Amino acid sequence: MTPKLLLDAMIPLMADLSRDLHDSERYRRLLDTLRMLFPCDAAALLRLDGDVLVPLAINGLSSDTLGRRFRISEHPRFRALLSSVPPTRFPANSSLPDPYDGLVQAHSGELHVHDCMGCQITMNGRPWGLLTLDALAPDRFDGVDSAALQAFASLAAATVNAAERIHTLAESGEQERQRAEAYRLAANQSQRELIGQSPAHKRMLKEVRLAGPSNMTVLITGETGVGKELVANAIHAASTRAKKAIISINCAALPETLVESELFGHVRGAFSGAISDRRGKFELAEGGTLFLDEVGELSLLVQAKLLRVLQSGQIQRVGSDVEHKVDVRVIAATNRDLAEEVRQGRYRTDFYHRLSVYPLDVPPLRERGHDTLLISGYFLEENRFRLGLLSIRLAPEAQEALLNYRWPGNVRELEHLIARSALKALGRHPERPRMLTLSAEDLDLAAAPAALPEAQPMVEQAELALHNGSSLRDAVSAYERRLISASLTRNGGNVASTARELGLDRANLNRLTKRLGLK
């Protein structure tokens, strides 16, 4: 490669440093130029985040790669690249497993003999991440000048630095620093991320960034399984309370008699079994955040007592006459339509308005397009580690099946599907493979709940009920009752099988059958 060719290719990238580009576009141009200068079949830009490498941009790799998180301890090639400042080229027949086995679009299967090289990106004298190049031909990089690749890595570092500086300037300085630190702490605590690039996901993240520092009470709504608790953690992480705890309580999982004790605590002798004083969730969350999950399941009596806390910040332990002042931010979540519950008299109007100071709706997975593949990549990597495999990948028809499915159970259903499919696919191999490919048949998405044969007659019955004067709520309840009853009959009364068929979480199905009066 001549110096002129290298300079001509780099000039547009240097011009980009002063332009206001989205990070994804900036990184895409960087990899396009990399592949033009250094002929390869796949390239990637990865950021170092603690002990994992996070893909920021890919070229020539499967879409789900962006959702994967590569633990450095499990990938010796990445470890070798991070331990060397100059570019590193691996022997074509290297025995070290390749992290991209099964992910290169132009190749199906393990990369036994191929050309692979990469280099470290440094920022302020410290490793920031990696640039990686893979070629299917074993001698493709024979003519690559290491100095030229090192020069390109320096330009990549400048590109990354520009992107990060522009991002920082878009926010107020000190507040943004606190938010970034809070997100890092939250990620360490929850081990889960809000992954996605769709417009719907980006709109939600914008709401999270707005609501986080405000200290307002937030009501998170959305279907079952969309990840409302992850959103609550992100709001807490973006707040000034991030260094304090976020305490969670599932309101639907507590018996009516214990809700007050769990929330407000109790004193010794308050009731049978209260052998000592006990702090409630509000006191445990002092200075931090209290997350009330399934808040739509609270009784009217408990709603009234919570309303008083939200208004005055005063709590009173069960069995005590003494009040305590608490400084707690409340975030609540529900998959119910609380406005409709208020209209039906099942929810207090004043409590609803206190909860929904800042309403935030989490979009269902079916509205997030290719985010499904990114999230799949995250779960595939989790299961690859759990099953002790070199790689788990999705066949093209499996990716298509995931994108075409409606996901009534949303992200939780996707998580369970990936785990179940990987385990079943592994069990069909007489010998343990190093790399596992999931086909559309492995996913078994044909039996979607929407395709149940009795669904259409039930819809017609619900419409008939509306015509006969029933309310919308009653018609919907009648439809749910018949649908669940039919599924329970088909599955011999097995709740777990029924929940899988209907795409529901088992706990949610139990609550639903109880509300509908089903045994």
Side-chain angles (χ1 to χ4, degrees):
M1 180 189 307
T2 65
K4 184 178 185 306
L5 177 61
L6 180 63
L7 182 61
D8 288 344
M10 287 186 169
I11 285 176
L13 291 179
M14 289 186 283
D16 284 347
L17 295 177
S18 60
R19 299 177 61 190
D20 184 12
L21 296 173
H22 192 277
D23 290 355
S24 59
E25 176 63 15
R26 193 181 297 276
Y27 298 150
R28 183 191 67 79
R29 295 185 184 206
L30 183 73
L31 291 189
D32 283 348
T33 305
L34 178 68
R35 288 193 65 177
M36 180 182 71
L37 290 173
F38 308 99
C40 58
D41 295 296
L45 173 68
L46 304 102
R47 173 174 54 84
L48 182 62
D49 186 5
D51 61 349
V52 300
L53 283 165
V54 180
L56 295 185
I58 57 173
N59 193 315
L61 295 171
S62 175
S63 298
D64 61 82
T65 306
L66 285 174
R68 296 176 183 255
R69 300 297 179 262
F70 298 100
R71 293 183 179 87
I72 299 167
S73 60
E74 298 171 26
H75 298 289
R77 293 201 187 211
F78 284 156
R79 194 161 59 244
L81 292 174
L82 285 169
S83 64
S84 172
V85 175
T88 300
R89 182 184 180 190
F90 296 94
N93 59 350
S94 172
S95 61
L96 297 179
D98 195 292
Y100 302 136
D101 270 341
L103 301 180
V104 179
Q105 289 179 337
H107 182 266
S108 176
E110 294 184 47
L111 301 170
H112 290 297
V113 179
H114 70 296
D115 224 344
C116 173
M117 67 185 305
C119 61
Q120 184 185 128
I121 296 176
T122 58
M123 295 267 282
N124 300 319
R126 303 180 64 180
W128 177 91
L130 294 177
L131 272 177
T132 63
L133 301 84
D134 281 89
L136 299 179
D139 57 353
R140 185 78 64 83
F141 298 147
D142 284 353
V144 169
D145 182 0
S146 294
L149 183 57
Q150 185 67 58
F152 190 89
S154 299
L155 181 58
T159 300
V160 168
N161 191 29
E164 292 190 348
R165 285 181 178 275
I166 290 171
H167 180 70
T168 301
L169 291 173
E171 304 284 350
S172 58
E174 180 60 20
Q175 189 178 69
E176 177 61 20
R177 186 195 66 77
Q178 292 176 351
R179 289 183 190 177
E181 177 66 12
Y183 275 121
R184 186 186 67 79
L185 291 172
N188 289 339
Q189 292 169 359
S190 67
Q191 300 300 312
R192 286 289 173 91
E193 302 177 48
L194 290 171
I195 294 175
Q197 295 181 349
S198 66
H201 184 75
K202 289 178 179 177
R203 284 193 296 271
M204 184 196 70
L205 290 182
K206 183 179 179 182
E207 296 287 335
V208 168
R209 289 192 292 269
L210 283 171
S214 70
N215 213 36
M216 291 180 179
T217 302
V218 179
L219 177 61
I220 305 171
T221 58
E223 299 176 7
T224 297
V226 293
K228 294 187 283 293
E229 186 169 3
L230 282 180
V231 174
N233 285 330
I235 294 171
H236 172 72
S239 74
T240 55
R241 300 172 178 266
K243 292 185 179 179
K244 297 288 186 177
I246 176 170
I247 304 296
S248 300
I249 182 169
N250 189 328
C251 302
L254 289 172
E256 180 71 22
T257 53
L258 293 179
V259 173
E260 284 188 66
S261 174
E262 283 293 321
L263 289 172
F264 310 125
H266 62 252
V267 297
R268 181 180 178 181
F271 50 83
S272 177
I275 59 175
S276 62
D277 289 358
R278 184 172 184 267
R279 292 193 300 167
K281 300 296 186 184
F282 270 97
E283 288 183 78
L284 291 174
E286 173 65 30
T289 302
L290 179 63
F291 175 51
L292 301 175
D293 199 8
E294 304 285 1
V295 74
E297 308 300 322
L298 291 173
S299 68
L300 291 170
L301 178 62
V302 177
Q303 290 174 37
K305 296 191 174 184
L306 270 173
L307 176 64
R308 185 168 180 273
V309 181
L310 293 178
Q311 289 174 332
S312 65
Q314 299 281 349
I315 65 166
Q316 190 171 325
R317 291 182 181 179
V318 177
S320 172
D321 295 328
V322 180
E323 289 192 335
H324 298 269
K325 181 77 173 178
V326 291
D327 174 25
V328 175
R329 182 193 193 172
V330 172
I331 300 175
T334 182
N335 56 14
R336 288 197 181 194
D337 182 351
L338 292 190
E340 178 60 26
E341 295 291 306
V342 168
R343 285 190 287 271
Q344 295 295 329
R346 290 187 287 265
Y347 219 75
R348 292 181 61 108
T349 304
D350 46 6
F351 184 57
Y352 167 65
H353 287 300
R354 279 284 180 178
L355 281 182
S356 59
V357 177
Y358 197 108
L360 195 158
D361 188 58
V362 183
L365 187 56
R366 61 181 170 275
E367 294 179 4
R368 294 177 56 184
H370 278 74
D371 281 0
T372 302
L373 295 183
L374 270 63
I375 300 170
S376 296
Y378 184 93
F379 293 141
L380 286 166
E381 191 64 18
E382 275 195 343
N383 283 276
R384 181 203 66 76
F385 173 72
R386 180 174 58 84
L387 297 174
L389 298 173
L390 176 66
S391 175
I392 305 179
R393 68 170 193 152
L394 295 168
E397 67 272 14
Q399 295 186 28
E400 193 66 26
L402 291 175
L403 291 173
N404 290 333
Y405 186 58
R406 296 292 293 168
W407 299 110
N410 292 291
V411 177
R412 186 183 294 121
E413 182 184 6
L414 174 60
E415 177 183 10
H416 295 166
L417 173 75
I418 294 294
R420 181 171 65 250
S421 301
L423 188 61
K424 287 183 175 180
L426 183 61
R428 282 196 285 271
H429 286 266
E431 295 184 3
R432 188 176 185 84
R434 298 182 69 218
M435 185 176 68
L436 192 65
T437 300
L438 302 185
S439 66
E441 184 179 352
D442 291 323
L443 298 178
D444 192 23
L445 286 172
L452 293 175
E454 65 273 21
Q456 186 58 35
M458 288 183 184
V459 172
E460 293 171 358
Q461 291 172 21
E463 292 176 348
L464 180 61
L466 283 173
H467 286 305
N468 289 337
S470 296
S471 68
L472 175 63
R473 180 76 187 183
D474 290 340
V476 171
S477 294
Y479 172 80
E480 290 175 329
R481 192 176 293 109
R482 293 189 185 97
L483 187 63
I484 293 172
S485 295
S487 182
L488 281 167
T489 301
R490 275 193 307 276
N491 288 285
N494 187 296
V495 177
S497 298
T498 301
R500 281 196 298 271
E501 181 178 82
L502 295 174
L504 293 173
D505 179 76
R506 181 173 178 172
N508 283 347
L509 178 60
N510 280 325
R511 288 191 293 272
L512 192 56
T513 54
K514 182 178 179 181
R515 179 171 66 82
L516 296 172
L518 295 170
K519 294 184 179 179

